[in-house]
Amino acid sequence: ETGVTQSPTHLIKTRGQQVTLRCSSQSGHNTVSWYQQALGQGPQFIFQYYREEENGRGNFPPRFSGLQFPNYSSELNVNALELDDSALYLCASSQTTGYSEQYFGPGTRLTVT
Amino acid sequence: QQPVQSPQAVILREGEDAVINCSSSKALYSVHWYRQKHGEAPVFLMILLKGGEQKGHDKISASFNEKKQQSSLYLTASQLSYSGTYFCGTGGYTDKLIFGTGTRLQVFP
């Protein structure tokens, strides 16, 4: 059973650029949630995807968007990057949208200069 | 809306016990506990569901008081590997996890 994987590991972008982050969910999981974690803070919920549909969104602007594919892998896209977008981006997969445990990937460290 | 954790930090010797608390201002349907080591992803420890169901770790226990909207994580006979930052994640009816403020735990030999 493979765990949750994310790519890339690190990324440096310039303000105003666009970025795409990728996540492969754990085998058997159909739900992916994305989180932003600033240094010293807890993860902040961005949105969740269940069977290719967005299933809830946190307090993030529309320039944060996502996709889920038929194999349940997922992408997070961020347009018009701002300096405050610098953070660790985590994805987590779970078996259902119900109250099941979430398993996190190693994260992508995004730095915006 | 972010759950508040206490204490903010704990320092222990190996073998000592600790309790970490998580309190929410919203009605809770689930509480999730995670441990995160520096530079690593959060690791699932335990989930507690409204109605009493629990799923989790053999050596860690937790309680969930639905009326008080509180949960506590009990770490007994701590080991060096327990060091890290502990986060609770609370789920309301919409089931989206809101993570708490975090508790930093350090265990020394």
Side-chain angles (χ1 to χ4, degrees):
Chain A
E1 180 181 280
T2 56
V4 180
T5 61
Q6 292 186 243
S7 63
T9 308
H10 296 87
L11 204 52
I12 300 174
K13 289 285 189 178
T14 303
R15 191 171 50 183
Q17 286 188 314
Q18 178 264 343
V19 69
T20 297
L21 310 181
R22 295 178 175 82
C23 171
S24 291
S25 60
Q26 187 165 313
S27 176
H29 289 185
N30 58 21
T31 303
V32 172
S33 304
W34 285 92
Y35 296 86
Q36 180 194 68
Q37 187 175 28
L39 208 58
Q41 305 293 317
Q44 300 291 312
F45 175 73
I46 303 175
F47 43 57
Q48 182 184 81
Y49 278 85
Y50 170 65
R51 294 186 175 181
E52 302 179 60
E53 297 287 331
E54 187 178 290
N55 184 49
R57 187 179 184 92
N59 191 25
F60 280 81
R63 59 189 185 84
F64 285 78
S65 63
L67 282 174
Q68 189 178 32
F69 300 99
N71 66 354
Y72 304 128
S73 65
S74 178
E75 284 183 356
L76 165 65
N77 299 291
V78 187
N79 293 322
L81 284 166
E82 300 178 0
L83 296 179
D84 285 348
D85 295 334
S86 294
L88 180 67
Y89 288 84
L90 296 161
C91 77
S93 74
S94 52
Q95 285 186 316
T96 72
T97 61
Y99 311 118
S100 59
E101 56 270 35
Q102 297 188 12
Y103 293 92
F104 284 83
T108 294
R109 172 71 64 186
L110 173 66
T111 302
V112 182
T113 62
Chain B
Q1 289 189 347
Q2 182 180 29
V4 176
Q5 291 182 231
S6 63
Q8 288 184 313
V10 183
I11 299 175
L12 297 174
R13 293 279 184 192
E14 264 188 304
E16 292 181 338
D17 302 339
V19 179
I20 300 173
N21 302 301
C22 174
S23 180
S24 174
S25 59
K26 293 177 62 176
L28 300 179
Y29 284 75
S30 66
V31 178
H32 305 227
W33 285 96
Y34 291 83
R35 176 172 60 219
Q36 186 175 29
K37 293 183 182 286
H38 182 69
E40 299 180 9
V43 173
F44 169 77
L45 295 175
M46 176 161 290
I47 181 173
L48 303 101
L49 304 176
K50 188 174 181 178
E53 184 180 351
Q54 293 186 23
K55 291 185 277 185
H57 201 285
D58 288 338
K59 298 182 180 179
I60 296 173
S61 62
S63 63
F64 180 17
N65 187 323
E66 298 165 26
K67 283 189 177 179
K68 291 186 176 180
Q69 295 158 196
Q70 294 175 345
S71 177
S72 294
L73 186 72
Y74 304 97
L75 306 170
T76 57
S78 60
Q79 305 170 16
L80 295 176
S81 62
Y82 285 11
S83 294
T85 302
Y86 288 76
F87 291 102
C88 66
T90 56
Y93 184 72
T94 59
D95 182 42
K96 304 304 171 282
L97 281 186
I98 308 297
F99 281 89
T101 49
T103 295
R104 187 173 177 183
L105 180 76
Q106 289 181 285
V107 181
F108 290 97

